[in-house]
Amino acid sequence: MNESVSRARPAWGAVISMALGVFGLVTAEFLPASLLTPMAADLGITEGMAGQAVTVTAAVALLTSLLISTATRRIDRRHVLLGFSMLLVASNLLVAFAPNLTLLLIGRVLLGMALGGFWTMSIATMMRLVPEDLVPRGLSIMFSGVSAATIAAAPLGSYFGDLFGWREVFLMAAGLGLLALAVQFMTLPRLAPTGLTRLRTLFDVLMRPRIGLGMLAAALVFTGHFAFFTYIRPFLETVTGVGVNGVAVILLGFGVANFLGNYVGGWMVERSLRMTMILMPLLMGTLGVSLVLLESTPATDAALVAIWGLAFGAIPVAWSTWLTRTVPDEAESASGLLVASINLAIATGAAVGGLIFDLGGALNVFAASAAVLLLAALMILVGVKTRTLATA
C-alpha cells in the first residue's frame, strides 16, 4: 500500500468506498424512525423513550465532530476511517441484540461517534484522494450515499421490519457496514496525519477572516431546510390534502431528486462555486414562498417539493467544496466545525419549527423557513467569499 495517493491520479475506488461508508452510517441513523413502534413494544418502553436512540446519536455526533481531530492527531487516517466503520458494525450488532434500553443507547452512542468522526474526516480525506479540480465530483459521489440512504432506509426498514423483525433489520445494517469496511480496507491508501490539531485550532480556524460568517451562513441554510423537511408531512396532509400514499410518493420524488441534485451540484460547483452557494438557498427560499402563496394542489406541491430536493442535493457538495478551498491547511478542524454547525442547525430547525407549527401551523413554518433561506442567500452574496482554482 502506497504511503499516499498522488492527487494527479484520482483514487475512485477509495471514493466509492467512502460513499458506501456514508450509505451505511446514514441508513443506521435513519432506521429507528421506521422501526420505533416494534422496538418500543419489544423492549417494553414507550415510543418516546425509544426515540432517544435518535437524540443520543445526534448529541454524540456533535461532540465527536469537535474532538475527533485532536484525539486522533497522530494516527494514520486510513486506520481512523476503518475504525469508524468497525464502530458502525459494532453499533448495529449491539442494537440488534440489546435486551434493554440501556444497551440499545450504548449502541447508538457508538453510531454517534462513527457519524461525527467519519463526517469530520471525510472532506479532508477527499482532498487527498483526488486532484483539486475533481474534489466537487468526488464529494458529489460521496454525498450520493446520503441521498440513497434517505430514499431507501425508511421504506425498506419498515418493510423488512414487518417481514423479519426489527432486530433482523439492524443485523442487515451490520452486514452493510461490513461491506463498507471490506471495500475501504481494500481501497483506502495510507493517509499519514498532516498536522497536530489541538482544541485551540478549532478556535483559531473560526477566527480567520470570513470563516465564522461562512459557518453562520451554512448553519442558516441547513436550519431553513430542516425546518421545512421536518414538518413536510403535516403540511402535505393538512394543506395539500393528500393521504399516506400521497405523502410517500411525494417524499420518494423528493429523495430521487435529491440524489440527482448531488451530481447536478458537483457539475455546478466545478463551474462556479459562488453562484451555486448563492443560487441554491435563493431557489429553496423562493420555493418556500411559493408553497405558502400558491394555490395548493397535489401536482403543484409535488413538483415544488421535488425541485427543493434537487436544490438541496447541491448544498452539501457546495459547502464542503467551499471548506476545501477556504481552509485547505486545516480541513479536518474546519470540517469538525461545519459538522457541528449542521447538527446544531438540524436541532434548531426542528425545535423552532415545532414551536412555530404549534402556534401557527405548517404554512407559518414554511414561511419562516423561506425567510431564513433568503437571509442566508443574502449573507452569502454580501459576505462569503470563495477561492477560484488556479488555472494551468
Side-chain angles (χ1 to χ4, degrees):
M1 185 74 65
N2 294 328
E3 177 65 25
S4 63
V5 171
S6 170
R7 294 180 63 179
R9 297 180 58 191
W12 293 119
V15 171
I16 291 171
S17 80
M18 297 285 286
L20 281 173
V22 166
F23 180 69
L25 286 163
V26 177
T27 295
E29 183 182 16
F30 288 169
L31 279 181
S34 59
L35 298 170
L36 211 58
T37 300
M39 287 171 64
D42 188 24
L43 295 171
I45 57 177
T46 67
E47 292 184 1
M49 292 173 67
Q52 298 309 308
V54 177
T55 304
V56 72
T57 301
V60 173
L62 192 157
L63 185 62
T64 302
S65 67
L66 296 174
L67 300 177
I68 193 65
S69 293
T70 300
T72 63
R73 63 182 181 270
R74 299 183 186 277
I75 305 175
D76 188 312
R77 270 36 197 152
R78 166 183 160 85
H79 298 151
V80 175
L81 290 167
L82 292 175
F84 293 142
S85 292
M86 291 177 187
L87 283 177
L88 169 62
V89 174
S91 166
N92 286 320
L93 289 175
L94 193 54
V95 171
F97 293 106
N100 52 50
L101 179 62
T102 300
L103 284 179
L104 185 143
L105 292 180
I106 291 173
R108 299 298 289 185
V109 165
L110 297 182
L111 178 64
M113 293 169 63
L115 270 168
F118 193 93
W119 279 124
T120 299
M121 299 289 177
S122 62
I123 298 173
T125 300
M126 196 62 63
M127 294 171 66
R128 302 174 68 181
L129 295 178
V130 299
E132 186 177 11
D133 61 320
L134 292 177
V135 167
R137 192 176 306 176
L139 289 170
S140 69
I141 292 172
M142 185 179 72
F143 281 112
S144 68
V146 179
S147 299
T150 302
I151 296 170
L156 291 182
S158 178
Y159 175 77
F160 286 121
D162 288 340
L163 199 62
F164 302 116
W166 71 270
R167 294 182 185 275
E168 285 71 16
V169 174
F170 278 98
L171 286 176
M172 294 177 191
L176 185 60
L178 275 174
L179 173 63
L181 176 62
V183 177
Q184 288 165 6
F185 183 82
M186 291 186 291
T187 60
L188 282 175
R190 292 181 61 187
L191 298 165
T194 56
L196 295 179
T197 303
R198 304 183 187 281
L199 287 178
R200 169 79 187 183
T201 309
L202 293 171
F203 180 78
D204 292 340
V205 169
L206 193 60
M207 290 300 103
R208 292 188 185 185
R210 301 188 185 276
I211 296 300
L213 185 64
M215 293 292 179
L216 177 59
L220 287 176
V221 173
F222 282 92
T223 298
H225 168 71
F226 280 101
F228 159 85
F229 191 69
T230 303
Y231 299 96
I232 188 168
R233 176 166 179 168
F235 172 87
L236 294 173
E237 290 175 336
T238 61
V239 178
T240 309
V242 297
V244 174
N245 291 336
V247 171
V249 170
I250 292 173
L251 290 181
L252 178 63
F254 173 93
V256 172
N258 185 246
F259 183 85
L260 296 175
N262 291 138
Y263 294 97
V264 172
W267 179 84
M268 291 179 64
V269 165
E270 287 178 1
R271 283 147 185 80
S272 176
L273 171 59
R274 179 169 172 77
M275 184 59 65
T276 306
M277 292 174 67
I278 296 169
L279 185 60
M280 293 302 103
L282 179 62
L283 175 58
M284 291 159 67
T286 304
L287 289 167
V289 172
S290 300
L291 284 163
V292 173
L293 297 182
L294 294 181
E295 181 180 356
S296 184
T297 67
T300 300
D301 290 354
L304 294 175
V305 169
I307 297 170
W308 185 299
L310 185 73
F312 183 70
I315 293 293
V317 180
W319 281 101
S320 298
T321 304
W322 169 79
L323 187 149
T324 67
R325 296 184 185 177
T326 308
V327 201
D329 58 318
E330 290 291 352
E332 284 185 7
S333 295
S335 295
L337 289 170
L338 184 61
V339 172
S341 297
I342 292 171
N343 275 285
L344 185 60
I346 293 171
T348 302
V352 175
L355 180 63
I356 296 173
F357 181 82
D358 288 342
L359 293 174
L363 281 174
N364 283 322
V365 174
F366 281 22
S369 170
V372 171
L373 286 160
L374 294 174
L375 174 62
L378 179 62
M379 184 180 295
I380 297 164
L381 174 66
V382 173
V384 178
K385 303 299 180 184
T386 60
R387 181 177 70 83
T388 56
L389 292 176
T391 56

